[in-house]
Amino acid sequence: MTRLVLIDGSSYLYRAFHALPPLSNAAGEPTGALFGVVNMLRAHLKERPDYIAFVMDAPGKTFRDELYPDYKANRPPMPEELRAQIEPMLAVVDALGIPILRVPGVEADDVIGTLAVQAARAGIDVTISTGDKDFAQLVREADGDSGAIRLINTMTGSRLESEAAVVEKFGVRPTQIVDYLALMGDKIDNVPGVEKCGEKTAARWLAEYGSLDGVIAHADAVPGKLGQYLRDALPRLPLNRQLVTIRTDLDLGIEPQALVLRPRNVEALRALYTRYGFNQALKELDATAAAPAPSAAATTPTNPALAASGQYETVLTQAQLQDWIARLTAADAFAFDTETDALDPQRARLVGLSLSVQTGQACYIPLAHVGPDAPPQLPTNVVLSALRPLLQDPGKRKIGQNGKFDLHVLRRHGVEVRGYADDTLLESFVLEAGLTRHDMDSLARRHLGYQTLRFEDVAGKGARQIPFSQVAVDLACRYAAEDADITLRLHQVLSSQLATEPRLQAVYRDIEMPLVPVLARMEANGVQIDAAELKRQSHELGQRMLEARARADALAGRPINLDSPKQLAALLYEELALPVRVKTPGGAPSTNEDALEAIADLHELPRVILRYRSLAKLRSTYTDTLPAMINPATGRVHTSYNQAGAATGRLSSSDPNLQNIPVRSEEGRRIRAAFVAPPGRKLVSFDYSQIELRIMAHLSEDPALLRAFAQGADIHRATAAEVLGKPLDAVTADERRAAKAINFGLIYGMGAHGLARQLGIDRGQAQDYIALYFNRYPGVRDYMERTRQQARTQGYVETVFGRRLALPQIASRNASQRAGAERAAINAPMQGTAADIIKRAMVAVDAWLEAHRDRALMILQVHDELVFEADADFVPTLQAEVPALMAGVANLRVPLVVDCGVGDNWDQAH
DNA sequence: AAGGACTCATA
DNA sequence: GTATGAGTCCTTT
């Protein structure tokens, strides 16, 4: 049977510290706790478990602090001699190759509990190594396909390996341990229990009444002083039980199978053991380290996983290159990765290239490494010429991780990659949206149980980071070749998972992968902006900000930093004693737009702040920034679309974000007007009309809603008429506005509270509106309920095209988290289906444009809008073709309508 | 130097 | 009341 050992690091550290004499090494550094922990770890490793982890508390608050602010309030601060041993301890654990888990916001106990239960369910036998008796609540025997959970305390040698052992030791069964602890309380964690109730009393009561609920129910029947103490403690017992219950159902994003022991780092261990004077351990190390590691140089990475890595070859000669070309030529597919000197795909220069045909084997071809020790490298043009036929062959399948980046880099070096067939980022995104991150490091850990060498391990971080071109070639090879190797391995795992999910595979194969080259082209196209105009606007905004600032200082009676919410809150709510009507999510008095509007009739200052804010936002985010983002080589601005950014399937845009260019205010639209077409060209914008509401009609199949769209009605007006039972032309502007708010609110999963706030009416009235709406559109109500139900039973929701969004929070015991997940469940199918549709449209339009290259370029996507830059005389053709292409990619129960605008700039076109 | 909190721009 | 990214301040390391 496979076995997992989970080590409760915090518990051992404390216990070893207090149990052992205050040892220290020759330099006077304290070593007592360290010594105890190291011996404990060595004992565990001798048993050769299949999986192992060392679990520590991460700094910061956890849910128990939320439940009970006094939790652990009695704990004295950690003694300095103990604190000083934490870092060395972690260094030893790491050097031994044991994975270290510290999960922010989650106590070590709950990490251990969750992993233990998860592993036992997967048929793994679990040993929890701890000095904490609370874990007795988890003990269980193997049963059918499930593994056992056992406890061991290596300090005392005691073991709890069966339910009978727990009963023998505590007098209660494992399932009663939480009740037992709740009654007794915990001095150390400052959780008071029933006074005078110790082990004996707690066990006796539980034997008599079965459970804590039984004890509570019979509290009146307990005689004497103890009975009175019990009744006094009743109100806090349920909370106590929550506090002592170890969580076993968290979503940690860690699979027990990933917790593999890496090869130990002998050099690091020798250094640590020597420093701390652990002679016994040192002797053993030298005896067992048969093949000493190569001498440690300054460049040797600390990651011991390296020793497990595959055969990685640095390609420096023509002969080696030809050998790899032959291997690639013989293969159906290969993984590739580029290394560059920058993260911006529109500027990055190629530093090297890695390739892998077979897992465990990869090469790195350094091209532009510099420095005194850099070896002579093959010329870039020679290497790229040799590889070009392979990279440009549509029949030769290429595999990458976020390959869009590599496509850009290679294009800018004269290679147009074709046959880019698989991307592990997108495989993971389609398989597990909402569950995990999709970067290679996370994926390797999650699916391969492998800790990759990270970029910062080879290049450093922060101010000391060096460009990849200065990384020593040997080290660069290990890093880069590993990336290609891991990409290939991940593809094997992920593609076989996709093969079992035909709907997800279709999303991946038919929507996401075809979109990659399309997005690459859009990003490369870029957009022209009028920098001089934006600079003029910056200047003007600056003038007006000065005026606002002067007025604010006058009103405050002193200089005030209008950019600091904290200072503003102090001024408004303390000095000026204005009422606090809105709070931030963190509970502090808010100075956001709503808050300032709410007090705007009491003082002039809030209005001045709002005015200043809107000016400052426009200047710092747009008019100052955009001109600086112009690529000198192209004279245009190139955004970057993140295809795996939004869990619903939407794209996101960054560097710069061109999906949030202002449009609502007049001043904002002047910024949009600075997105221009070159002479002789036009900007043409196409957007889907009411796409999410149409999708709601399709999904809900509500007859009234379907009819309204079929008739091409003004949907908000039609909603108002339907709900209020009056003719279309009798609907007032206010009524239409209310209907619009309901329509939008529904898409976001809103309740009465939100609608009331939006419309400035009271809750009851909002509730009436909603009831009326559902009365007229019962299909919508049923659909909403079905969706919530699906989310609860399956843990995910789906788009029309089968894209999945996982909602792990849907089962949360935290009501507000659960409600949030329910709203997301309502919204995701609509937002996600709209995303699927426009992605398909982009692929379709791009394919059509192929024949008209340069007559029109697709340059922007803003969720329901596509923007093109086209020759003026080509605009009619575009207008004749694109709407049909966009509307034709989905077959819904309602028509898709596409609106169009044309102009010399984006404001005119929109 | 890095990360969290806050605010605000878009669909 | 959904989904994002970015600038600024301010605390922590």
Side-chain angles (χ1 to χ4, degrees), chain A residues 95-121:
Chain A
L96 284 167
I98 299 173
I100 298 171
L101 297 179
R102 304 174 94 167
V103 184
V106 184
E107 269 177 78
D109 289 8
D110 302 318
V111 174
I112 293 171
T114 296
L115 284 171
V117 167
Q118 210 178 324
R121 252 187 229 137

PDB file of all heavy atoms in Angstrom, chain A residues 95-121:
ATOM      1  N   ALA A  95      16.565  20.733   2.140  1.00  0.00           N
ATOM      2  CA  ALA A  95      17.745  20.014   1.658  1.00  0.00           C
ATOM      3  C   ALA A  95      17.525  18.506   1.704  1.00  0.00           C
ATOM      4  O   ALA A  95      18.076  17.764   0.901  1.00  0.00           O
ATOM      5  CB  ALA A  95      18.964  20.402   2.483  1.00  0.00           C
ATOM      6  N   LEU A  96      16.710  18.052   2.646  1.00  0.00           N
ATOM      7  CA  LEU A  96      16.387  16.630   2.694  1.00  0.00           C
ATOM      8  C   LEU A  96      15.474  16.229   1.536  1.00  0.00           C
ATOM      9  O   LEU A  96      15.233  15.055   1.307  1.00  0.00           O
ATOM     10  CB  LEU A  96      15.715  16.285   4.027  1.00  0.00           C
ATOM     11  CG  LEU A  96      16.652  16.202   5.243  1.00  0.00           C
ATOM     12  CD1 LEU A  96      15.847  16.175   6.537  1.00  0.00           C
ATOM     13  CD2 LEU A  96      17.546  14.980   5.156  1.00  0.00           C
ATOM     14  N   GLY A  97      14.944  17.236   0.833  1.00  0.00           N
ATOM     15  CA  GLY A  97      14.075  16.955  -0.313  1.00  0.00           C
ATOM     16  C   GLY A  97      12.616  16.809   0.076  1.00  0.00           C
ATOM     17  O   GLY A  97      11.799  16.357  -0.729  1.00  0.00           O
ATOM     18  N   ILE A  98      12.284  17.179   1.304  1.00  0.00           N
ATOM     19  CA  ILE A  98      10.890  17.028   1.758  1.00  0.00           C
ATOM     20  C   ILE A  98      10.092  18.270   1.355  1.00  0.00           C
ATOM     21  O   ILE A  98      10.491  19.391   1.668  1.00  0.00           O
ATOM     22  CB  ILE A  98      10.849  16.866   3.291  1.00  0.00           C
ATOM     23  CG1 ILE A  98      11.625  15.607   3.694  1.00  0.00           C
ATOM     24  CG2 ILE A  98       9.406  16.814   3.787  1.00  0.00           C
ATOM     25  CD1 ILE A  98      11.781  15.450   5.195  1.00  0.00           C
ATOM     26  N   PRO A  99       8.973  18.094   0.654  1.00  0.00           N
ATOM     27  CA  PRO A  99       8.152  19.255   0.286  1.00  0.00           C
ATOM     28  C   PRO A  99       7.661  19.982   1.543  1.00  0.00           C
ATOM     29  O   PRO A  99       7.247  19.338   2.505  1.00  0.00           O
ATOM     30  CB  PRO A  99       6.968  18.644  -0.469  1.00  0.00           C
ATOM     31  CG  PRO A  99       7.402  17.273  -0.857  1.00  0.00           C
ATOM     32  CD  PRO A  99       8.416  16.833   0.146  1.00  0.00           C
ATOM     33  N   ILE A 100       7.729  21.311   1.512  1.00  0.00           N
ATOM     34  CA  ILE A 100       7.262  22.127   2.630  1.00  0.00           C
ATOM     35  C   ILE A 100       5.946  22.775   2.229  1.00  0.00           C
ATOM     36  O   ILE A 100       5.847  23.383   1.164  1.00  0.00           O
ATOM     37  CB  ILE A 100       8.294  23.224   2.977  1.00  0.00           C
ATOM     38  CG1 ILE A 100       9.600  22.573   3.407  1.00  0.00           C
ATOM     39  CG2 ILE A 100       7.749  24.152   4.053  1.00  0.00           C
ATOM     40  CD1 ILE A 100      10.752  23.557   3.561  1.00  0.00           C
ATOM     41  N   LEU A 101       4.933  22.637   3.071  1.00  0.00           N
ATOM     42  CA  LEU A 101       3.640  23.262   2.774  1.00  0.00           C
ATOM     43  C   LEU A 101       3.343  24.339   3.805  1.00  0.00           C
ATOM     44  O   LEU A 101       3.294  24.075   4.999  1.00  0.00           O
ATOM     45  CB  LEU A 101       2.524  22.208   2.811  1.00  0.00           C
ATOM     46  CG  LEU A 101       2.606  21.086   1.788  1.00  0.00           C
ATOM     47  CD1 LEU A 101       1.445  20.126   1.963  1.00  0.00           C
ATOM     48  CD2 LEU A 101       2.581  21.669   0.387  1.00  0.00           C
ATOM     49  N   ARG A 102       3.160  25.555   3.347  1.00  0.00           N
ATOM     50  CA  ARG A 102       2.677  26.651   4.213  1.00  0.00           C
ATOM     51  C   ARG A 102       1.594  27.334   3.416  1.00  0.00           C
ATOM     52  O   ARG A 102       1.882  27.987   2.419  1.00  0.00           O
ATOM     53  CB  ARG A 102       3.768  27.674   4.519  1.00  0.00           C
ATOM     54  CG  ARG A 102       5.001  27.078   5.147  1.00  0.00           C
ATOM     55  CD  ARG A 102       6.083  28.143   5.276  1.00  0.00           C
ATOM     56  NE  ARG A 102       6.043  28.782   6.589  1.00  0.00           N
ATOM     57  CZ  ARG A 102       7.023  29.550   7.052  1.00  0.00           C
ATOM     58  NH1 ARG A 102       8.062  29.812   6.316  1.00  0.00           N
ATOM     59  NH2 ARG A 102       6.935  30.090   8.245  1.00  0.00           N
ATOM     60  N   VAL A 103       0.359  27.170   3.799  1.00  0.00           N
ATOM     61  CA  VAL A 103      -0.745  27.712   3.017  1.00  0.00           C
ATOM     62  C   VAL A 103      -1.297  28.950   3.719  1.00  0.00           C
ATOM     63  O   VAL A 103      -1.810  28.851   4.827  1.00  0.00           O
ATOM     64  CB  VAL A 103      -1.873  26.670   2.856  1.00  0.00           C
ATOM     65  CG1 VAL A 103      -2.966  27.209   1.956  1.00  0.00           C
ATOM     66  CG2 VAL A 103      -1.314  25.363   2.314  1.00  0.00           C
ATOM     67  N   PRO A 104      -1.176  30.111   3.078  1.00  0.00           N
ATOM     68  CA  PRO A 104      -1.652  31.345   3.720  1.00  0.00           C
ATOM     69  C   PRO A 104      -3.136  31.249   4.048  1.00  0.00           C
ATOM     70  O   PRO A 104      -3.928  30.780   3.242  1.00  0.00           O
ATOM     71  CB  PRO A 104      -1.400  32.411   2.652  1.00  0.00           C
ATOM     72  CG  PRO A 104      -0.395  31.811   1.729  1.00  0.00           C
ATOM     73  CD  PRO A 104      -0.608  30.338   1.768  1.00  0.00           C
ATOM     74  N   GLY A 105      -3.499  31.687   5.239  1.00  0.00           N
ATOM     75  CA  GLY A 105      -4.906  31.707   5.613  1.00  0.00           C
ATOM     76  C   GLY A 105      -5.417  30.367   6.102  1.00  0.00           C
ATOM     77  O   GLY A 105      -6.581  30.251   6.468  1.00  0.00           O
ATOM     78  N   VAL A 106      -4.589  29.346   6.081  1.00  0.00           N
ATOM     79  CA  VAL A 106      -5.031  28.027   6.521  1.00  0.00           C
ATOM     80  C   VAL A 106      -4.038  27.508   7.556  1.00  0.00           C
ATOM     81  O   VAL A 106      -2.834  27.492   7.324  1.00  0.00           O
ATOM     82  CB  VAL A 106      -5.077  27.033   5.340  1.00  0.00           C
ATOM     83  CG1 VAL A 106      -5.630  25.695   5.811  1.00  0.00           C
ATOM     84  CG2 VAL A 106      -5.906  27.593   4.211  1.00  0.00           C
ATOM     85  N   GLU A 107      -4.549  27.092   8.720  1.00  0.00           N
ATOM     86  CA  GLU A 107      -3.659  26.556   9.726  1.00  0.00           C
ATOM     87  C   GLU A 107      -3.089  25.224   9.296  1.00  0.00           C
ATOM     88  O   GLU A 107      -3.745  24.457   8.584  1.00  0.00           O
ATOM     89  CB  GLU A 107      -4.418  26.387  11.039  1.00  0.00           C
ATOM     90  CG  GLU A 107      -4.331  27.615  11.915  1.00  0.00           C
ATOM     91  CD  GLU A 107      -5.140  27.459  13.184  1.00  0.00           C
ATOM     92  OE1 GLU A 107      -4.660  26.777  14.098  1.00  0.00           O
ATOM     93  OE2 GLU A 107      -6.244  28.013  13.227  1.00  0.00           O
ATOM     94  N   ALA A 108      -1.903  24.946   9.804  1.00  0.00           N
ATOM     95  CA  ALA A 108      -1.237  23.688   9.459  1.00  0.00           C
ATOM     96  C   ALA A 108      -2.155  22.495   9.750  1.00  0.00           C
ATOM     97  O   ALA A 108      -2.243  21.552   8.976  1.00  0.00           O
ATOM     98  CB  ALA A 108       0.076  23.561  10.242  1.00  0.00           C
ATOM     99  N   ASP A 109      -2.883  22.552  10.888  1.00  0.00           N
ATOM    100  CA  ASP A 109      -3.780  21.449  11.250  1.00  0.00           C
ATOM    101  C   ASP A 109      -4.763  21.144  10.130  1.00  0.00           C
ATOM    102  O   ASP A 109      -5.060  19.986   9.833  1.00  0.00           O
ATOM    103  CB  ASP A 109      -4.595  21.813  12.494  1.00  0.00           C
ATOM    104  CG  ASP A 109      -3.729  21.846  13.746  1.00  0.00           C
ATOM    105  OD1 ASP A 109      -2.500  21.738  13.603  1.00  0.00           O
ATOM    106  OD2 ASP A 109      -4.300  21.985  14.841  1.00  0.00           O
ATOM    107  N   ASP A 110      -5.305  22.200   9.534  1.00  0.00           N
ATOM    108  CA  ASP A 110      -6.338  22.004   8.516  1.00  0.00           C
ATOM    109  C   ASP A 110      -5.734  21.541   7.186  1.00  0.00           C
ATOM    110  O   ASP A 110      -6.362  20.803   6.436  1.00  0.00           O
ATOM    111  CB  ASP A 110      -7.129  23.301   8.331  1.00  0.00           C
ATOM    112  CG  ASP A 110      -7.762  23.757   9.640  1.00  0.00           C
ATOM    113  OD1 ASP A 110      -8.293  22.904  10.360  1.00  0.00           O
ATOM    114  OD2 ASP A 110      -7.698  24.960   9.945  1.00  0.00           O
ATOM    115  N   VAL A 111      -4.518  21.978   6.920  1.00  0.00           N
ATOM    116  CA  VAL A 111      -3.819  21.473   5.734  1.00  0.00           C
ATOM    117  C   VAL A 111      -3.607  19.969   5.889  1.00  0.00           C
ATOM    118  O   VAL A 111      -3.882  19.171   4.993  1.00  0.00           O
ATOM    119  CB  VAL A 111      -2.463  22.182   5.557  1.00  0.00           C
ATOM    120  CG1 VAL A 111      -1.674  21.550   4.417  1.00  0.00           C
ATOM    121  CG2 VAL A 111      -2.674  23.674   5.310  1.00  0.00           C
ATOM    122  N   ILE A 112      -3.132  19.581   7.079  1.00  0.00           N
ATOM    123  CA  ILE A 112      -2.870  18.165   7.336  1.00  0.00           C
ATOM    124  C   ILE A 112      -4.169  17.363   7.266  1.00  0.00           C
ATOM    125  O   ILE A 112      -4.238  16.312   6.623  1.00  0.00           O
ATOM    126  CB  ILE A 112      -2.197  17.989   8.718  1.00  0.00           C
ATOM    127  CG1 ILE A 112      -0.797  18.600   8.681  1.00  0.00           C
ATOM    128  CG2 ILE A 112      -2.143  16.514   9.128  1.00  0.00           C
ATOM    129  CD1 ILE A 112      -0.123  18.678  10.041  1.00  0.00           C
ATOM    130  N   GLY A 113      -5.213  17.886   7.911  1.00  0.00           N
ATOM    131  CA  GLY A 113      -6.495  17.177   7.927  1.00  0.00           C
ATOM    132  C   GLY A 113      -7.028  16.968   6.524  1.00  0.00           C
ATOM    133  O   GLY A 113      -7.470  15.865   6.161  1.00  0.00           O
ATOM    134  N   THR A 114      -6.985  18.032   5.721  1.00  0.00           N
ATOM    135  CA  THR A 114      -7.530  17.945   4.368  1.00  0.00           C
ATOM    136  C   THR A 114      -6.740  16.960   3.505  1.00  0.00           C
ATOM    137  O   THR A 114      -7.310  16.104   2.837  1.00  0.00           O
ATOM    138  CB  THR A 114      -7.520  19.346   3.726  1.00  0.00           C
ATOM    139  OG1 THR A 114      -8.393  20.194   4.470  1.00  0.00           O
ATOM    140  CG2 THR A 114      -7.976  19.276   2.277  1.00  0.00           C
ATOM    141  N   LEU A 115      -5.402  17.070   3.585  1.00  0.00           N
ATOM    142  CA  LEU A 115      -4.587  16.170   2.765  1.00  0.00           C
ATOM    143  C   LEU A 115      -4.750  14.722   3.218  1.00  0.00           C
ATOM    144  O   LEU A 115      -4.782  13.795   2.411  1.00  0.00           O
ATOM    145  CB  LEU A 115      -3.123  16.589   2.830  1.00  0.00           C
ATOM    146  CG  LEU A 115      -2.778  17.826   1.991  1.00  0.00           C
ATOM    147  CD1 LEU A 115      -1.367  18.287   2.298  1.00  0.00           C
ATOM    148  CD2 LEU A 115      -2.913  17.526   0.507  1.00  0.00           C
ATOM    149  N   ALA A 116      -4.851  14.540   4.540  1.00  0.00           N
ATOM    150  CA  ALA A 116      -4.964  13.176   5.070  1.00  0.00           C
ATOM    151  C   ALA A 116      -6.230  12.517   4.531  1.00  0.00           C
ATOM    152  O   ALA A 116      -6.200  11.388   4.036  1.00  0.00           O
ATOM    153  CB  ALA A 116      -4.968  13.203   6.595  1.00  0.00           C
ATOM    154  N   VAL A 117      -7.350  13.231   4.620  1.00  0.00           N
ATOM    155  CA  VAL A 117      -8.620  12.646   4.187  1.00  0.00           C
ATOM    156  C   VAL A 117      -8.623  12.448   2.671  1.00  0.00           C
ATOM    157  O   VAL A 117      -9.076  11.422   2.159  1.00  0.00           O
ATOM    158  CB  VAL A 117      -9.787  13.542   4.648  1.00  0.00           C
ATOM    159  CG1 VAL A 117     -11.075  13.141   3.958  1.00  0.00           C
ATOM    160  CG2 VAL A 117      -9.932  13.439   6.160  1.00  0.00           C
ATOM    161  N   GLN A 118      -8.080  13.436   1.969  1.00  0.00           N
ATOM    162  CA  GLN A 118      -8.000  13.343   0.509  1.00  0.00           C
ATOM    163  C   GLN A 118      -7.193  12.103   0.103  1.00  0.00           C
ATOM    164  O   GLN A 118      -7.588  11.345  -0.777  1.00  0.00           O
ATOM    165  CB  GLN A 118      -7.291  14.601   0.018  1.00  0.00           C
ATOM    166  CG  GLN A 118      -7.688  15.082  -1.354  1.00  0.00           C
ATOM    167  CD  GLN A 118      -6.924  16.367  -1.676  1.00  0.00           C
ATOM    168  OE1 GLN A 118      -6.670  17.201  -0.799  1.00  0.00           O
ATOM    169  NE2 GLN A 118      -6.536  16.522  -2.916  1.00  0.00           N
ATOM    170  N   ALA A 119      -6.059  11.911   0.772  1.00  0.00           N
ATOM    171  CA  ALA A 119      -5.187  10.792   0.424  1.00  0.00           C
ATOM    172  C   ALA A 119      -5.832   9.468   0.803  1.00  0.00           C
ATOM    173  O   ALA A 119      -5.810   8.503   0.032  1.00  0.00           O
ATOM    174  CB  ALA A 119      -3.838  10.946   1.123  1.00  0.00           C
ATOM    175  N   ALA A 120      -6.442   9.413   1.996  1.00  0.00           N
ATOM    176  CA  ALA A 120      -7.071   8.165   2.441  1.00  0.00           C
ATOM    177  C   ALA A 120      -8.151   7.767   1.439  1.00  0.00           C
ATOM    178  O   ALA A 120      -8.288   6.596   1.073  1.00  0.00           O
ATOM    179  CB  ALA A 120      -7.660   8.331   3.835  1.00  0.00           C
ATOM    180  N   ARG A 121      -8.900   8.751   0.989  1.00  0.00           N
ATOM    181  CA  ARG A 121      -9.938   8.481  -0.004  1.00  0.00           C
ATOM    182  C   ARG A 121      -9.349   7.895  -1.276  1.00  0.00           C
ATOM    183  O   ARG A 121      -9.974   7.091  -1.958  1.00  0.00           O
ATOM    184  CB  ARG A 121     -10.673   9.784  -0.353  1.00  0.00           C
ATOM    185  CG  ARG A 121     -12.068   9.798   0.216  1.00  0.00           C
ATOM    186  CD  ARG A 121     -12.813  11.015  -0.304  1.00  0.00           C
ATOM    187  NE  ARG A 121     -13.419  11.686   0.834  1.00  0.00           N
ATOM    188  CZ  ARG A 121     -13.429  12.989   1.035  1.00  0.00           C
ATOM    189  NH1 ARG A 121     -12.873  13.795   0.157  1.00  0.00           N
ATOM    190  NH2 ARG A 121     -13.994  13.497   2.086  1.00  0.00           N
TER     191      ARG A 121
END
